[in-house]
Amino acid sequence: PLKLPPRSPNMNAYAERFVLSIKSECLDRAIPFGERHLCRMVEEYVEHYHMDRPHQGLGNLTIGGESARTDGRGAVRCVERLGSLLRSYHLVSA
């Protein structure tokens, strides 16, 4: 591991992007009612970030590597997290 100098946010762009994403998509839209609730919100968001959200750097695939169907056939399934604060849609085979 490379130790970063203090107060240099541009040195770790991946971590800064994740912090910006979790703040704008999750923490700015809900009020945690304690430490356990905050931890649960962060766990749900991380699961959404890795499993449901497409990433531009990976060719709009998820980190898990599941390829999205693009043939237009099948039903659309909605996955809701955090009381429908975060939603993602997937094609499922009919």
Side-chain angles (χ1 to χ4, degrees):
L2 179 65
K3 191 169 184 174
L4 299 175
R7 298 181 189 262
S8 58
N10 294 331
M11 296 292 289
N12 196 351
Y14 297 109
E16 289 297 319
R17 179 62 200 162
F18 177 77
V19 170
L20 179 66
S21 295
I22 195 169
K23 281 175 63 177
S24 65
E25 295 177 16
C26 180
L27 299 177
D28 285 348
R29 299 179 182 191
I31 300 172
F33 294 112
E35 185 178 354
R36 276 184 40 198
H37 188 229
L38 176 65
C39 288
R40 179 71 178 152
M41 287 173 58
V42 170
E43 287 173 6
E44 284 286 323
Y45 183 78
V46 168
E47 191 170 337
H48 168 76
Y49 190 83
H50 290 301
M51 298 301 194
D52 298 331
R53 184 176 167 271
H55 294 266
Q56 290 180 348
L58 299 174
N60 281 335
L61 298 175
T62 60
I63 289 179
E66 294 179 11
S67 60
R69 292 185 43 196
T70 58
D71 59 3
R73 296 182 198 154
V76 176
R77 179 178 60 103
C78 177
V79 176
E80 295 181 346
R81 297 184 189 276
L82 291 173
S84 74
L85 184 65
L86 300 170
R87 292 183 182 164
S88 61
Y89 300 91
H90 302 280
L91 285 173
V92 293
S93 52

